[in-house]
Amino acid sequence: MAPYRERGRNLDGGTHPRRKIIRWLLMITLLAGSLWAIESNGGFLRLVRVRVHPPGAIPEEVVWSVLTCAERRIWPLALFNASSVADRLEAKFPIVARVGYGGFGKLKVQVTPRRPVARLMWRGTLWFWSSDGFLWSASLPQNSAVAGMTYPAGPIIFWDRTMEPLIDGASLNRDVIHCGAPVDRVVSLLEEVSALRPPGMELRGIKVSYNGDPAMLGTAIYASGDVEALKVVFNATDPKGVRRAISAVAELQRKGVISGDSVLVDCTYGDKIILRKEPSGN
């Protein structure tokens, strides 16, 4: 005769593993239900305050606006989702955010404004670019909500359509976007070319493009008043070529070859330089 075995127990007297799992699930469900009932009746777990540091860096309402209803209702959930909350803030505002515990029922949000170091014109829109590789529109309404934000002035980088796109399709749902294009190389070029300042002219910016050649072309654009008076074309991927173009233009200035007329100086032909007059204002 088979030995007697109590239902739900193993031969060694232990509880069946499935029964243990079911028992734990019932306990967790009961606990969650109890907490939800307490919250529904008394708001015990609701988020009561958001503290932004430094004070006034962004309005506290900004943080509330990116929280879900569940995160407002159960504040530990907002704390559990701290990295997601920070990412939501960084997607809408040009800041670096750190979200953490600020006391019972409270969140602390540490905010650091991103520092734009260059302006880019791309597809008819002016963009700010930060040194950590993020890009956002200069006309973004949220710019005014970030205290302590400083904006670059001076020459603009004109990003031609022949260049790698600054933004891919997957980033269109964000206002502040990480940019993988080699903007940092062009910013370095801008700093180097800024050393060349013909008398009576101002560096308006640098246009970067590809023209059926592996080498990236740079065009330094100088203006006299409102008129583009001088363009210097050089191989932007060759540091020696940039310095050569700068020194060549300086020499042409000393010889009086470059006058007040609109002139294009092409330094992309290796051992020779080509000058071409252009219609004024082009």
Side-chain angles (χ1 to χ4, degrees):
M1 180 182 295
Y4 171 76
R5 181 172 64 183
E6 184 180 348
R7 183 178 296 176
R9 290 186 175 274
N10 295 327
L11 292 175
D12 59 0
T15 303
H16 195 280
R18 288 185 180 177
R19 293 290 180 120
K20 287 184 178 181
I21 294 173
I22 294 172
R23 188 174 299 170
W24 275 107
L25 289 174
L26 288 173
M27 290 176 63
I28 292 171
T29 303
L30 180 62
L31 178 61
S34 300
L35 290 174
W36 186 263
I38 294 172
E39 160 57 25
S40 298
N41 293 324
F44 179 69
L45 293 177
R46 291 187 183 180
L47 182 64
V48 296
R49 185 171 180 184
V50 169
R51 293 179 175 174
V52 174
H53 293 268
I58 56 173
E60 292 181 358
E61 293 79 8
V62 164
V63 183
W64 285 97
S65 71
V66 302
L67 296 172
T68 66
C69 292
E71 289 166 345
R72 297 180 192 181
R73 193 179 184 97
I74 304 175
W75 73 267
L77 182 60
L79 190 62
F80 180 78
N81 293 336
S83 60
S84 175
V85 174
D87 183 66
R88 284 175 241 159
L89 285 170
E90 293 176 358
K92 289 180 172 292
F93 297 85
I95 60 172
V96 177
R98 297 290 181 269
V99 179
Y101 178 74
F104 190 85
K106 302 172 185 177
L107 285 183
K108 177 181 177 181
V109 182
Q110 186 74 37
V111 172
T112 305
R114 296 196 186 278
R115 300 297 181 189
V117 296
R119 297 184 298 166
L120 291 88
M121 182 64 71
W122 181 59
R123 295 186 176 178
T125 300
L126 186 64
W127 302 82
F128 289 136
W129 182 81
S130 64
S131 56
D132 56 349
F134 281 83
L135 192 75
W136 65 96
S137 172
S139 60
L140 185 69
Q142 296 92 301
N143 286 336
S144 60
V146 182
M149 178 71 72
T150 57
Y151 301 102
I156 296 174
I157 296 172
F158 297 90
W159 199 266
D160 193 73
R161 290 179 178 270
T162 58
M163 296 288 291
E164 174 185 349
L166 291 175
I167 301 172
D168 58 33
S171 302
L172 294 179
N173 60 339
R174 300 176 67 97
D175 292 317
V176 182
I177 306 151
H178 187 265
C179 175
V183 179
D184 54 338
R185 289 166 48 194
V186 182
V187 171
S188 298
L189 277 175
L190 184 63
E191 294 173 351
E192 189 162 0
V193 173
S194 294
L196 192 165
R197 289 188 176 274
M201 296 185 188
E202 181 182 357
L203 179 64
R204 176 171 290 179
I206 290 182
K207 178 181 177 181
V208 287
S209 62
Y210 284 107
N211 190 24
D213 190 284
M216 181 172 65
L217 295 179
T219 303
I221 304 168
Y222 296 91
S224 178
D226 295 329
V227 178
E228 292 182 0
L230 175 65
K231 295 180 181 178
V232 183
V233 185
F234 52 87
N235 183 344
T237 57
D238 178 15
K240 291 182 179 180
V242 176
R243 289 190 290 271
R244 176 176 174 271
I246 292 174
S247 61
V249 171
E251 180 65 22
L252 291 172
Q253 282 184 272
R254 284 193 293 270
K255 293 181 178 180
V257 176
I258 298 177
S259 64
D261 299 325
S262 293
V263 177
L264 184 142
V265 183
D266 192 338
C267 302
T268 62
Y269 289 90
D271 58 349
K272 62 181 179 180
I273 296 175
I274 294 178
L275 274 68
R276 183 172 67 245
K277 288 190 176 184
E278 296 191 324
S280 182
N282 282 2

